[in-house]
Amino acid sequence: MPVVHRTIFRPVPRPWDTLSWVRVPDGLEFTLYAVIEHAGGRNPVVPATHDEEARWRWAHDTFETELRAADSEVRRAHGIRTRSGFMVDVRQVRLRRYDLIPGRGKRSRRAWERCAARMHAADALYRPVREEIEARLARAAAPES
């Protein structure tokens, strides 16, 4: 039986909290369930067939990839680049020229609208899988009578 790990995806607050002209829209918080191989810790066991496990893994990976791509795209639209450093160090580099172009607030709002639309569309595709997993979790946690 598979073990599921619940994660929450939300845009990373930096550098948005340092840019006064950027408004991150509310409601960009998404729940994902990753199917993992090993049992242990607090991760619950969910009854499922091998086909369901494979479908859940594929849906999770597709959803997470789409969320990360949308997040990356909105960062790029704001002139934010991520550079890998030594080992696991990741630095964010802001290109200042994006702050100097007129209409930055309007461009920022449009970029966030595109990002939010892309994330919500991906969420709509993942929702049936999430609801199925949550229903199984509720059934597994319910006391048998």
Side-chain angles (χ1 to χ4, degrees), residues 32-34 55-66 126:
L32 297 96
Y33 289 96
R55 187 170 48 85
W56 294 350
R57 278 194 181 103
W58 179 83
H60 171 270
D61 294 346
T62 304
F63 185 38
E64 186 177 40
T65 300
E66 187 65 16
Y126 184 70

Side-chain angles (χ1 to χ4, degrees), residues 15-126:
W16 310 122
D17 53 356
T18 62
L19 303 173
S20 61
W21 50 276
V22 174
R23 298 285 177 256
V24 178
D26 293 330
L28 294 181
E29 185 172 289
F30 304 96
T31 303
L32 297 96
Y33 289 96
V35 178
I36 55 178
E37 295 295 326
H38 59 282
R42 298 180 184 186
N43 297 318
V45 176
V46 179
T49 66
H50 291 293
D51 290 341
E52 288 171 331
E53 276 185 63
R55 187 170 48 85
W56 294 350
R57 278 194 181 103
W58 179 83
H60 171 270
D61 294 346
T62 304
F63 185 38
E64 186 177 40
T65 300
E66 187 65 16
L67 291 175
R68 291 190 188 285
D71 187 53
S72 178
E73 184 179 296
V74 79
R75 287 173 173 280
R76 198 159 190 76
H78 285 84
I80 299 164
R81 305 295 185 261
T82 304
R83 292 191 181 156
S84 297
F86 180 71
M87 300 295 280
V88 295
D89 177 44
V90 175
R91 295 177 289 135
Q92 293 179 357
V93 178
R94 273 192 58 238
L95 304 177
R96 297 286 304 169
R97 68 176 178 267
Y98 284 83
D99 291 351
L100 304 175
I101 300 172
R104 67 184 181 190
K106 188 176 183 180
R107 280 192 330 277
S108 175
R109 281 189 301 279
R110 276 197 234 124
W112 277 108
E113 286 170 4
R114 287 190 306 270
C115 176
R118 188 173 175 183
M119 287 180 168
H120 287 298
D123 184 50
L125 293 174
Y126 184 70

